Amino acid sequence: MRKNAASRSLHELYREDPDKADRRLFGRVAHPDRRGFLKGAGLAAMAALVGGTIPFHRNMSAHFIPVALADEPVIQGKDGLVVLNDRPLSAETPAHLLDDAITPTERHFIRNNGIPPQTVDASSWTLTIDGLVETPLTLGIADLKRRFDVVTRALTLECAGNGRAFFDPPAGGAQWTYGAVACSEWTGVRLADVLKAAGLKSDALYTAHEGADTHPSGAASGLPISRGVPIAKALDPDSLIAFAQNGRPIHPMNGAPLRLVFPGWPGSCSQKWLTRVWLRDRVHDGAKMTGTSYRVPGRPLAPGERLDETEFVIIEAMPVKSLITHPATGHRAAARALEVRGHAWAGERTIDAVRLSIDFGATWSGATLDEPVNAHAWQNWRAAVEFPGPGYYEVWARATDSEGVSQPHAVAWNPKGYLNNAMHRVAVTVV
Ligand SMILES: Nc1nc2c(c(=O)[nH]1)N[C@H]1C(S)=C(S)[C@@H](COP(=O)(O)O)O[C@H]1N2
Ligand SMILES: [Mo]
């Protein structure tokens, strides 16, 4: 069915005020888990929108919008992603679709905080480097390629909110499960080389990143997100200004034509649609740098406990984590022998070991672990698992990093649901 203004406004209505939308369609505010009893004017409106009667409307739940109206953007060039939010767009990749050693572009998650630029022209795109530098620079993509070493690196990028869906009490925001992580091959120039060319002043302490996306409210001013990193991270040879993803121009939703990639740190540092890197003499205080954004309590909290924002600290390197990418959870195995595989990564560290359990953590056995293809790339692992007989099993994976830190069974609660690196578990039934 063709989308029309009415169906769009229905989505907007639900987005802005679900209770109001319910009142309009269902005649009252209904609990999302309960039946909505669509009737009267609401039923007529909904039927008009889907272009037919709705015989089973009595079974429709409140807060439901008929899928015929689904406004899920068709994300061209992506495959199998699950859309968690449509505006701004957040879409994750089911774990079993992240099985490739290097994440293909169509399987790279999307996390937008605002509205991406509508039209981008790589040939006229410019990046400005200014602030605490001797010589401010404005560079086109051709200038970057001509003036600096071009490098290609497989780099792990994970949203700090990956795993947020499992916090209790729940944390607001995109309900990522496992799939806000990827390790694609990025081609670009080292941010360090560009900063050297500009000449860092001695009081430069932190970067500040700007992109061409706009605020979701549609307000003309104000960036949806502008984060930064300490100079030491900016100077890491794997901190890239990238113009290609997996050997092709960057996907529009992953930041075309130019983005930063700071592997191993919260994905939010890696500004997409990059237009400016500004050097500052203080910790950057742009959008989503302050308060509880990408910051965690400076001490452990009880679930649901409140803490003053001044006691939150900025997330830097991401913690040790692993993902089981084969089999998919729910797998039914006809044979007792099964290959289990996946990836493991640990911020600025490497992985020393991945261990698996099929008996709820009572015993563990090691997986075969590959070296990273380069620093800051996730490590692939695999193991031959032998189940003792028919029945329900869970395969648990637990990675240990180069400092001896292992993934926990459960993570400390924090109000925004960051840094959930608890072990991944998949269900396997041997028949
Ligand atoms: N300009 C801009 N850059 C951005 C964002 C954004 O909304 N706007 N989102 C950030 C966040 S929170 C993450 S996790 C990563 C996600 O990168 P991806 O969408 O390419 O997977 O981009 C980061 N860079
Ligand atoms: Mo993120």
Side-chain angles (χ1 to χ4, degrees):
M1 140 163 200
R2 290 227 7 236
K3 286 174 201 149
N4 53 30
S7 77
R8 260 198 301 280
S9 68
L10 188 60
H11 275 268
E12 263 147 39
L13 192 62
Y14 265 97
R15 205 161 36 237
E16 280 155 19
D17 188 345
D19 289 347
K20 188 167 144 203
D22 261 9
R23 267 197 299 275
R24 195 141 124 191
L25 287 157
F26 293 91
R28 65 183 178 84
V29 180
H31 189 273
D33 300 336
R34 298 221 331 262
R35 298 283 152 82
F37 301 111
L38 192 61
K39 58 181 193 256
L43 177 59
M46 203 77 104
L49 287 171
V50 302
T53 53
I54 310 175
F56 293 115
H57 65 84
R58 273 176 217 295
N59 301 338
M60 254 176 89
S61 287
H63 283 200
F64 262 39
I65 299 175
V67 286
L69 308 179
D71 209 8
E72 289 196 357
V74 178
I75 317 170
Q76 278 182 8
K78 294 288 174 181
D79 180 30
L81 269 58
V82 176
V83 175
L84 305 177
N85 289 324
D86 63 353
R87 218 180 127 97
L89 179 63
S90 289
E92 71 170 336
T93 313
H96 68 281
L97 297 182
L98 285 171
D99 195 39
D100 298 272
I102 298 293
T103 310
T105 301
E106 58 267 30
R107 298 272 159 85
H108 195 291
F109 73 101
I110 300 167
R111 172 24 168 157
N112 292 347
N113 290 268
I115 308 306
Q118 296 298 306
T119 49
V120 304
D121 176 11
S123 63
S124 62
W125 195 269
T126 57
L127 166 65
T128 298
I129 310 287
D130 63 359
L132 295 172
V133 291
E134 303 294 344
T135 320
L137 301 173
T138 295
L139 301 159
I141 294 174
D143 301 324
L144 291 171
K145 292 179 182 173
R146 195 180 55 246
R147 288 186 54 181
F148 304 99
D149 264 5
V150 171
V151 294
T152 296
R153 310 280 290 170
L155 302 171
T156 308
L157 193 70
E158 183 180 19
C159 179
N162 198 19
R164 176 179 292 138
F166 308 112
F167 281 86
D168 184 20
Q175 296 298 299
W176 305 110
T177 64
Y178 302 103
V181 62
C183 183
S184 287
E185 249 178 26
W186 296 97
T187 299
V189 299
R190 298 181 195 95
L191 175 60
D193 293 349
V194 176
L195 295 181
K196 275 172 215 151
L200 276 182
K201 290 194 174 164
S202 60
D203 50 350
L205 186 85
Y206 224 85
T207 60
H209 316 143
E210 296 186 1
D213 46 344
T214 53
H215 205 272
S217 68
S221 65
L223 295 173
I225 187 168
S226 170
R227 298 189 26 93
V229 297
I231 293 301
K233 180 63 176 171
L235 295 180
D236 185 294
D238 284 334
S239 295
L240 300 187
I241 302 171
F243 42 74
Q245 177 181 18
N246 295 315
R248 316 238 329 129
I250 297 174
H251 186 280
M253 291 300 114
N254 298 126
L258 200 65
R259 77 172 300 169
L260 290 167
V261 183
F262 289 104
W265 282 41
S268 53
C269 301
S270 297
Q271 196 84 21
K272 302 192 281 186
W273 311 292
L274 182 69
T275 54
R276 182 183 182 206
V277 177
W278 169 38
L279 281 301
R280 304 194 65 185
D281 64 357
R282 65 198 66 184
V283 175
H284 183 43
D285 55 0
K288 309 222 166 167
M289 279 300 295
T290 56
T292 58
S293 292
Y294 301 103
R295 296 179 4 130
V296 286
R299 64 165 173 84
L301 292 189
E305 189 186 340
R306 302 267 267 236
L307 183 72
D308 194 82
E309 283 177 9
T310 56
E311 291 184 60
F312 280 63
V313 294
I314 298 174
I315 303 168
E316 298 197 331
M318 296 287 286
V320 58
K321 194 162 175 180
S322 63
L323 192 64
I324 301 168
T325 59
H326 182 81
T329 193
H331 182 73
R332 293 179 76 79
R336 292 186 187 186
L338 181 67
E339 186 183 69
V340 176
R341 31 173 212 271
H343 319 291
W345 61 95
E348 297 291 0
R349 301 175 183 173
T350 55
I351 299 296
D352 264 10
V354 174
R355 294 186 183 84
L356 301 180
S357 178
I358 57 166
D359 54 11
F360 302 96
T363 62
W364 295 87
S365 59
T368 305
L369 177 68
D370 295 344
E371 291 292 311
V373 292
N374 53 243
H376 292 111
W378 66 19
Q379 291 170 248
N380 304 301
W381 56 264
R382 68 205 62 75
V385 169
E386 183 84 24
F387 297 99
Y392 173 85
Y393 299 88
E394 290 189 5
V395 182
W396 294 10
R398 188 179 205 194
T400 301
D401 74 18
S402 48
E403 301 289 316
V405 178
S406 297
Q407 289 180 261
H409 288 258
V411 285
W413 184 87
N414 65 84
K416 284 286 180 77
Y418 294 128
L419 303 180
N420 187 349
N421 67 332
M423 289 179 256
H424 187 204
R425 302 153 53 188
V426 301
V428 175
T429 301
V430 179
V431 292

